[in-house]
Amino acid sequence: MATPPYILGIESSCDDTSAAVICGTKILSNVIAGQKIHAEFGGVVPELASRAHQQNIIPVVDTALKRAGIDKKQLSAIACTNGPGLLGSLLVGSSFAKGLALSLNIPLIMVDHLQAHVLANFLDTEDNNPKPEFPFLCLTVSGGHTLLLMVYDYFKMEVLGRTIDDAAGEAFDKAAKILGLTYPGGPIIDKLAQQGDPNKFKFSIAKLPDLNFSFSGLKTSFLYFVRDRLTENPNFIEENINDLAASIQFHIVESLTIKMEKALKAHKCTNFALSGGVAANSELRKRMLELAKKHHLRVTIPPLALTTDNAAMIACYGYFKFLQKEFAELNTVPYSSV
Ligand code: KG4
Ligand code: ZN
């Protein structure tokens, strides 16, 4: 059997510069350079992000090739994120990918970041995670998006529900900011919540009749609650930080779980999956496993490193496009939103 193609993936849609080499669906390397500079500003600063990508892109790609143990001349194609994301950031990765593809005379593949998050579920894992079977439902939860998708094949995905305001990751990050935690706050809330009581404080959860999500009301009720308590006791946050983290995490995850269960009842399928940065959340992973057990369905959850932004998922999308010989022209331009 012929060796599967070597694909180089490049991701630069937000604040992580990442490059990965895969062979078929096997990951040979997956290098991620984060950008600490945004923490002091409480969110990603687009101009600083694109400058940092410019500094990182060459060493990150170089390291990915070295770790994979291959020469760039062995690559069959280059896949890069074309959107959605920050335009300045996308331009750095896609311009670099175009230049390299042109110089190596190999095909260029443009990748949709959100679909790539879903396809992260098809990469080989160390513990040989079973891969999803089509059609399946996928909850895609990141810093910029919250989508409930019906996935018919690698590229055919139907949106059944989406957030009407904040994304789930944004809800985590905004709640963290209210608590005075640094950006991105999602992973910090997850960690603090391990020692907290999820039922200590109650907040209101949006009750939309369809499969759409809403987190802005929850954020506001959390904000007012914390603000009122602080007027009574200036040390309220410090004294209750673990319970506050556990309670807000419970409510965000509860909102997601309610809609996932509703979708599972309304749309027949044998399995479902999780993807996106918030899929790293330990409570959400636990609740999805419980849901699968309750409904006698199989759930696929990517390993932690493949949930948040990474280039292996971009290369994976590239691999399936490569099989279909769907290549991009050099004049393809990035897009910022869906
Ligand atoms: O997919 P991603 O890396 O980037 C986007 O495409 O947005 O997602 C980043 C988001 C951030 O909002 C971050 O706070 C959240 O994922 N996140 C988490 C956890 N790890 C990352 N949220 C909750 N718990 C986590 N463990
Ligand atoms: Zn993402």
Side-chain angles (χ1 to χ4, degrees):
M1 216 168 75
T3 318
Y6 288 111
I7 311 278
L8 170 70
I10 294 177
E11 154 64 26
S12 70
S13 65
C14 192
D15 59 341
D16 290 308
T17 319
S18 180
V21 179
I22 64 171
C23 179
T25 51
K26 185 172 189 278
I27 302 172
L28 303 183
S29 64
N30 190 19
V31 180
I32 304 168
Q35 302 179 359
K36 292 210 164 40
I37 181 122
H38 307 289
E40 62 187 279
F41 298 99
V44 179
V45 184
E47 179 56 31
L48 295 178
S50 50
R51 273 192 236 169
H53 284 304
Q54 284 173 12
Q55 283 169 352
N56 293 341
I57 190 89
I58 294 175
V60 164
V61 169
D62 207 38
T63 309
L65 287 166
K66 281 203 184 97
R67 283 196 195 155
I70 67 154
D71 186 85
K72 58 182 182 298
K73 292 197 180 73
Q74 290 173 266
L75 293 172
S76 308
I78 299 176
C80 71
T81 309
N82 199 35
L86 301 170
L87 271 187
S89 295
L90 290 163
L91 273 170
V92 177
S94 62
S95 306
F96 183 87
K98 285 174 185 175
L100 191 56
L102 187 67
S103 70
L104 295 171
N105 196 23
I106 56 175
L108 173 73
I109 299 162
M110 288 302 186
V111 176
D112 180 273
H113 181 86
L114 291 169
Q115 292 194 3
H117 266 303
V118 177
L119 298 196
N121 281 295
F122 290 92
L123 285 160
D124 300 356
T125 57
E126 272 167 27
D127 47 5
N128 282 323
N129 241 357
K131 295 176 186 179
E133 280 165 27
F134 300 118
F136 65 92
L137 278 164
C138 186
L139 178 64
T140 301
V141 271
S142 72
H145 301 271
T146 299
L147 297 169
L148 235 172
L149 302 164
M150 178 59 92
V151 185
Y152 296 103
D153 69 31
Y154 297 114
F155 306 110
K156 194 170 166 226
M157 303 178 192
E158 183 190 355
V159 178
L160 303 177
R162 54 160 38 101
T163 180
I164 59 162
D165 39 57
D166 293 346
E170 219 175 337
F172 269 107
D173 296 338
K174 284 182 176 171
K177 201 170 176 181
I178 292 167
L179 297 177
L181 305 170
T182 53
Y183 178 87
I188 309 174
I189 292 216
D190 191 353
K191 206 164 167 214
L192 289 168
Q194 313 282 333
Q195 317 293 331
D197 174 2
N199 299 310
K200 182 77 182 279
F201 305 114
K202 299 270 178 253
F203 309 106
S204 59
I205 289 182
K207 290 193 173 60
L208 300 182
D210 44 28
L211 290 175
N212 286 336
F213 304 86
S214 168
F215 294 101
S216 72
L218 174 60
K219 178 202 66 193
T220 309
S221 79
F222 185 66
L223 174 70
Y224 289 170
F225 171 80
V226 173
R227 194 191 57 184
D228 292 349
R229 292 299 172 99
L230 279 175
T231 55
E232 296 159 13
N233 171 12
N235 299 323
F236 177 71
I237 292 181
E238 293 87 272
E239 288 169 11
N240 295 279
I241 189 74
N242 297 98
D243 292 339
L244 283 164
S247 299
I248 190 67
Q249 172 174 276
F250 170 80
H251 286 78
I252 296 171
V253 170
E254 178 73 3
S255 314
L256 296 169
T257 309
I258 289 171
K259 290 301 162 100
M260 190 73 216
E261 182 157 35
K262 194 169 179 185
L264 288 172
K265 285 180 183 161
H267 299 267
K268 288 269 161 283
C269 52
T270 58
N271 66 134
F272 64 103
L274 198 57
S275 70
V278 181
N281 183 266
S282 55
E283 178 67 15
L284 181 61
R285 296 168 84 89
K286 190 181 107 202
R287 294 290 298 276
M288 290 299 127
L289 288 169
E290 286 169 3
L291 208 55
K293 208 168 166 197
K294 180 175 167 193
H295 292 274
H296 308 287
L297 298 171
R298 200 165 60 75
V299 62
T300 309
I301 304 178
L304 286 184
L306 299 179
T307 55
T308 42
D309 288 349
N310 68 89
M313 69 184 195
I314 305 301
C316 185
Y317 181 109
Y319 168 62
F320 292 117
K321 280 272 170 189
F322 183 87
L323 296 181
Q324 298 189 351
K325 295 194 170 35
E326 266 190 55
F327 305 132
E329 299 294 333
L330 286 175
N331 60 1
T332 313
V333 288
Y335 51 92
S336 59
S337 55
V338 265

